[in-house]
Amino acid sequence: MPATTTPPRGTTPMAALARVLFWGAVLATVAGVSYVIRGNVLGLGRFSQTAAVLELIQSEYVEETSPDDLTRATIAGMLGQLDDPNSLYVPPGPASQFQRRIRGDYVGIGVQIVRRDGFVTVVTPIAGSPAARAGVLAGDRIVAVEGVDVTESATDEVVTLISGPKGEAVRLDVDRDGAIEQFDIVRDDIRTESVKGLKRLDAEGAWRHALDADRGIAYVRITQFTTGTTAATAAAIERARTQLPELRGLVLDLRGNPGGIIDEAAGVADLFVRDGAIVSTQRREQTGDVLRARPRAEFDGPVLVLIDGASASGSEIVAGALLELRGESAAALGTRTFGKGSVQGVYNLPDGGTLKLTEAMYALPSGRIIQRQPDSGVWGVDPSPGMLVPLRDGDGPRLGRLYAQLDEVGAADADGGVPADAWDSPAALLSAIDDPQLAAAHAAMLGKLETGGWLRVGGDPLTGTQALRLAQAQRALDRIRAEERRLVEEIERLSTGGGGDDAEPDAS
């Protein structure tokens, strides 16, 4: 006889049949769902698991979820895996600000940031911006925005927190050499007038470029490479010619210049060189674009470029191109540049956001990469031999305020405390401004014009192993200081009974 199955006690044959039909339907449903997911998975290739997880969370998770939030979290996860602070996603809100920033006009506080050595670090405040006027400096580490800790945040998240309506203030806590300083900065229109001189002469864009009229030395400062910077630089050179009996030498100040539009940076370099590859890009599997000089130049005389640790990207391209293509007719003075040599493509996404993705590395005419790598002692652009001239302690904030005052239109203190008669004498002017790097640049240029050789006015830059060991020691010291601050805060919190596993709950 065929075997029979005895229903459990208290279960009728019809109930047993219903149970079998129920579980059969469940298994069929699961199989169907699996088949559908499998079909979708097979159609999506290598991203099938991501798509499957997103679909399951959206349809089956116990709480309702936002598909936009899930998608953006997925994007953030993918970009985080790249370990590249320059590849980032900008949400739809700040995206329009981001696009305007590329062009050179936006609402904000006027500060460029990057994640460096584990901190959100100020590359530079834009000259004349609310951040610059408030006293924010290159190298400041932003640790909080409006009281929100951002020490572990991506740069795009920090940009989002800083962004907001014009006329409203945003509070920044910054770590400067181990001390926390707080700034309340009012957002404003940031329209980057990228090419400047020593002093603003009128509201229409005229500047004083004469540094030493008797010896024919001019001064041009470029704060950022935005749309029109090349044309504005050419105009500044022509204006300098009208202010001098003869234009014999030019001091090109790129200190604090964070870069900007690559074509504009190459265009500025092209004003001073007649031949050669100004900059090239190196991509993953192919040689990238090469921007070459055209057989013309606005100025063939000696050029001395001022650089510092906040000179980045486009300013490094200009400085490097002049040093490598002009030979002895160009030199660089100051300190080593930032080392930001990665190329980002900018893509508009369907949600209105923007993806900024590193696609290549910039290379100088010699083929050397600008980008600072963790284990390399070579990056950026170094000062020329005998031209390592750092600023003194306290010079940065003071000079930032002085140049901001000289930039302003119609301000009562537009001379920045520089006596009116000092502008008639190069020695008096340099003494009143008291900028060690500018004074050294003037002395070096005098040597070049009088003897044909650049005068040694400082030390030789650290290179190779020395530079790497210095950078590593600085990073180690930064980590020690950060841990010390954390421990001091923990000790203060515990000593005052503030929290901890054994803390008593608050009375209600």
Side-chain angles (χ1 to χ4, degrees):
M1 295 180 63
T4 59
T5 301
T6 304
R9 182 175 298 178
T11 302
T12 66
M14 289 301 295
L17 178 60
R19 185 187 297 274
V20 171
L21 292 175
F22 170 78
W23 284 110
V26 169
L27 292 173
T29 301
V30 171
V33 171
S34 299
Y35 177 79
V36 171
I37 292 176
R38 176 177 170 79
N40 291 341
V41 164
L42 290 175
L44 290 170
R46 69 183 62 187
F47 298 108
S48 57
Q49 292 190 77
T50 302
V53 171
L54 285 172
E55 183 176 341
L56 285 170
I57 292 175
Q58 191 64 32
S59 62
E60 305 300 332
Y61 185 62
V62 66
E63 295 180 1
E64 186 175 354
T65 56
S66 165
D68 290 340
D69 289 346
L70 291 174
T71 302
R72 290 168 189 168
T74 304
I75 294 172
M78 288 189 288
L79 293 175
Q81 185 65 25
L82 301 179
D83 194 24
D84 174 15
N86 297 306
S87 291
L88 53 92
Y89 166 76
V90 183
S96 60
Q97 295 281 352
F98 177 78
Q99 295 292 345
R100 294 181 67 191
R101 190 175 289 112
I102 294 173
R103 298 193 304 269
D105 62 288
Y106 60 98
V107 171
I109 63 171
V111 67
Q112 302 286 338
I113 61 174
V114 67
R115 177 162 283 280
R116 178 173 177 179
D117 298 332
F119 295 89
V120 177
T121 305
V122 175
V123 175
T124 183
I126 294 173
S129 68
R133 293 192 180 98
V136 176
L137 301 178
D140 283 349
R141 292 166 167 176
I142 301 176
V143 296
V145 178
E146 288 294 323
V148 178
D149 189 313
V150 297
T151 52
E152 301 297 328
S153 301
T155 53
D156 59 316
E157 296 172 326
V158 178
V159 169
T160 301
L161 288 172
I162 292 176
S163 299
K166 176 182 175 179
E168 293 187 6
V170 59
R171 175 164 295 183
L172 266 60
D173 291 347
V174 306
D175 179 342
R176 180 181 297 168
D177 297 327
I180 302 298
E181 298 195 21
Q182 194 171 81
F183 299 91
D184 290 310
I185 306 173
V186 178
R187 303 180 186 96
D188 202 350
D189 290 322
I190 308 298
R191 295 185 178 91
T192 54
E193 184 181 10
S194 60
V195 181
K196 303 181 179 182
L198 283 167
K199 175 186 175 182
R200 186 185 293 275
L201 298 179
D202 60 38
E204 302 303 319
W207 292 83
R208 176 187 171 119
H209 296 289
L211 177 61
D212 187 335
D214 294 337
R215 299 172 180 87
I217 302 174
Y219 170 90
V220 174
R221 175 163 45 112
I222 304 178
T223 61
Q224 192 175 2
F225 296 99
T226 58
T227 302
T229 296
T230 301
T233 304
I237 294 172
E238 288 305 310
R239 191 181 302 118
R241 285 193 171 102
T242 67
Q243 296 174 2
L244 299 168
E246 180 186 6
L247 177 56
R248 301 177 62 209
L250 175 67
V251 175
L252 183 64
D253 193 346
L254 300 181
R255 293 176 296 177
N257 183 323
I261 300 174
I262 180 62
D263 287 345
E264 293 289 346
V268 168
D270 195 19
L271 298 175
F272 302 101
V273 298
R274 290 186 178 274
D275 188 36
I278 294 173
V279 63
S280 61
T281 56
Q282 296 184 7
R283 297 181 179 273
R284 181 168 53 187
E285 298 177 351
Q286 61 188 21
T287 302
D289 299 327
V290 178
L291 297 178
R292 303 189 65 87
R294 291 168 290 180
R296 65 167 180 79
E298 294 291 328
F299 180 64
D300 283 325
V303 178
L304 194 149
V305 186
L306 290 178
I307 54 175
D308 63 10
S311 304
S313 190
S315 53
E316 296 175 285
I317 289 169
V318 173
L322 266 60
L323 290 179
E324 294 189 1
L325 296 178
R326 289 185 113 239
E328 288 299 315
S329 68
L333 184 148
T335 58
R336 175 178 275 191
T337 59
F338 187 83
K340 199 283 185 186
S342 57
V343 185
Q344 282 74 46
V346 178
Y347 300 91
N348 296 324
L349 299 181
D351 70 343
T354 297
L355 177 66
K356 187 180 177 188
L357 188 67
T358 299
E359 299 177 338
M361 295 292 180
Y362 290 129
L364 296 175
S366 63
R368 185 172 70 79
I369 297 296
I370 298 171
Q371 181 71 16
R372 179 179 183 175
Q373 304 293 350
D375 297 323
S376 174
V378 179
W379 69 83
V381 177
D382 282 306
S384 300
M387 294 194 183
L388 173 64
V389 181
L391 292 178
R392 303 160 304 205
D393 288 345
D395 276 341
R398 179 183 61 80
L399 290 173
R401 291 190 294 269
L402 171 62
Y403 286 122
Q405 289 171 340
L406 294 174
D407 288 354
E408 292 202 12
V409 179
D413 56 353
D415 281 336
V418 178
D421 57 359
W423 295 94
D424 300 325
S425 164
L429 178 61
L430 290 168
S431 176
I433 293 176
D434 195 19
D435 180 340
Q437 292 172 336
L438 182 60
H442 179 261
M445 182 64 76
L446 285 182
K448 180 66 174 175
L449 295 175
E450 293 173 359
T451 69
W454 295 103
L455 182 68
R456 290 182 62 91
V457 291
D460 293 327
L462 293 179
T463 58
T465 303
Q466 284 183 307
L468 177 59
R469 290 181 61 186
L470 176 62
Q472 291 172 335
Q474 185 62 56
R475 287 197 296 269
L477 182 60
D478 290 340
R479 287 193 294 269
I480 291 171
R481 286 173 172 169
E483 180 64 11
E484 179 184 25
R485 290 194 299 274
R486 188 191 67 79
L487 291 173
V488 168
E489 292 173 359
E490 180 74 0
I491 289 171
E492 291 177 351
R493 184 177 65 83
L494 292 173
S495 64
T496 57
D501 293 339
D502 298 328
E504 293 292 330
D506 292 335
S508 59

